Amino acid sequence: MEKVILILVLSISGALFAQSDYEKGMNQAFELWGTNPAEASNLFERIAHAEKDNWIPFYYAAQVNILNGFTIKDKAVLTAQLEKAQTLLDQASAISSDNPEIMVMQALLHIVWVAYDGETYGMLLSGKVIALYEKALQLAPDNPRVVFGKAEWDMGGAKFFGNDTAPFCKEIEKSIELFAKFEPKAPFYPIWGKERAEQVLATCK
């Protein structure tokens, strides 16, 4: 009996230690993100391969590459960056299918291409972005990143065609209310977006 208890204690201690290593690594990656995005992405990816049933590190590894894509002007560099991000998102989706957070990030990847060259990629990818947001909204109507992402995209379309943006401003207001109520489902679960939503809402005034 004592041996059984010892094994259980050692197992629990090992799990706690592994979790501690995970948290330490994730925190280190977030710290690196501000100064060395490439190394942050690599660290998130290394953590992801160690945490084989956890989609979150793959998600952040992809997000680093996607957000950095908005600053890249060279098409070859951008293509390589977003292809890597797509692979990481695919790995995240393989672990957690029909995940609205991953859908929002997938939509954002497409939006990087639209921002890079609207004439080439606007018509090609707009339908995919809309479909992703609509599906995510069906799955998680109270997810603030879903509500905000869709509203910001729709607002951009309304501005492009000279249409009224007021309905989308209301949706952005709704997303900010949802951000205030949102409770993460796990450690390091995505919580980003509120500051961006507030910035976009300020343009509605």
Side-chain angles (χ1 to χ4, degrees):
M1 185 63 182
E2 290 180 357
K3 289 183 178 179
V4 173
I5 293 172
L6 179 60
I7 291 171
L8 286 172
V9 169
L10 289 174
S11 298
I12 293 170
S13 298
L16 290 173
F17 183 75
Q19 179 67 13
S20 176
D21 284 348
Y22 168 64
E23 292 177 351
K24 182 179 178 181
M26 290 292 284
N27 285 324
Q28 183 181 353
F30 280 116
E31 289 175 6
L32 279 170
W33 195 341
T35 57
N36 192 335
E39 185 55 36
S41 178
N42 290 337
L43 181 52
F44 280 128
E45 190 172 358
R46 290 197 297 273
I47 295 168
H49 287 298
E51 299 281 327
K52 298 184 184 298
D53 297 324
N54 189 346
W55 61 272
I56 292 176
F58 280 121
Y59 169 94
Y60 283 115
Q63 187 182 27
V64 173
N65 286 281
I66 291 167
L67 294 182
N68 192 50
F70 283 108
T71 68
I72 296 174
K73 304 301 181 184
D74 184 281
K75 186 175 182 179
V77 175
L78 181 61
T79 298
Q81 185 106 353
L82 295 186
E83 284 180 349
K84 179 179 180 181
Q86 186 62 65
T87 298
L88 293 163
L89 284 181
D90 290 344
Q91 290 171 305
S93 295
I95 296 169
S96 180
S97 60
D98 288 336
N99 184 321
E101 299 288 358
I102 297 173
M103 292 175 189
V104 168
M105 196 53 55
Q106 180 68 69
L108 196 59
L109 186 151
H110 294 323
I111 291 169
V112 174
W113 278 119
V114 175
Y116 174 77
D117 184 350
E119 289 188 9
T120 301
Y121 297 104
M123 292 294 292
L124 181 66
L125 296 175
S126 290
K128 292 183 178 182
V129 172
I130 292 168
L132 283 162
Y133 280 136
E134 288 181 348
K135 184 175 182 180
L137 194 63
Q138 289 176 352
L139 292 169
D142 293 328
N143 182 301
R145 278 162 298 286
V146 172
V147 174
F148 168 65
K150 185 177 186 303
E152 185 180 29
W153 173 259
D154 290 341
M155 179 184 286
K159 287 180 178 178
F160 181 80
F161 291 108
N163 297 327
D164 184 16
T165 61
F168 310 118
C169 290
K170 291 181 180 179
E171 286 298 301
I172 290 172
E173 286 182 352
K174 177 183 175 181
S175 77
I176 292 172
E177 293 173 0
L178 292 172
F179 275 115
K181 301 175 184 177
F182 184 77
E183 296 183 3
K185 299 178 181 179
F188 304 107
Y189 197 90
I191 58 171
W192 60 271
K194 183 180 179 182
E195 289 184 3
R196 173 62 182 166
E198 290 172 340
Q199 290 172 356
V200 175
L201 183 62
T203 68
C204 292
K205 307 301 182 183

